[in-house]
Amino acid sequence: MPVENGGDIDLCLFVEPSCEDYWMKPGEAFTVHSAAEGIDVWFETRVSKGCVIVWLYEDGDPYKVVGEHRVVDENGTPLDSGHQRPVGQRWTAGGPIID
């Protein structure tokens, strides 16, 4: 699932249930892939101020969460959680606080 930051501020891509965050600069695009082979993965997205939250489900069943995933940049380079995270980023139980 590709996600592109078409805005003019940093955008957080937040992958659940692992609470992993990847920060995109304006104009950047990342892709979320399931690491599981041979299953039909559906993506659920929620958008809030400055953040796109992604869940991966097997066959679209919210009780079958796919936990193994990877996020890559436009060149296919795998990214680690916290990629480009702003210094001093604040959090709540539900994810990053975007001021």
Side-chain angles (χ1 to χ4, degrees):
M1 181 183 101
V3 179
E4 182 178 347
N5 183 356
D8 57 1
I9 62 169
D10 289 358
L11 178 68
C12 178
L13 171 61
F14 197 71
V15 182
E16 291 281 21
S18 55
C19 301
E20 294 185 4
D21 62 316
Y22 306 85
W23 294 79
M24 295 184 286
K25 302 291 183 193
E28 284 187 312
F30 297 161
T31 302
V32 181
H33 294 275
S34 168
E37 297 289 331
I39 64 171
D40 183 21
V41 176
W42 292 29
F43 297 89
E44 177 182 323
T45 57
R46 296 181 189 154
V47 178
S48 62
K49 180 182 176 184
C51 190
V52 175
I53 302 166
V54 177
W55 287 83
L56 291 78
Y57 299 119
E58 183 177 346
D59 298 321
D61 184 340
Y63 295 102
K64 294 182 179 178
V65 174
V66 177
E68 296 296 320
H69 68 276
R70 65 185 178 275
V71 176
V72 299
D73 67 13
E74 294 169 294
N75 298 317
T77 304
L79 304 174
D80 292 326
S81 179
H83 177 75
Q84 300 183 138
R85 180 185 299 140
V87 174
Q89 178 61 49
R90 296 177 298 139
W91 300 89
T92 68
I97 298 172
I98 309 293
D99 293 325

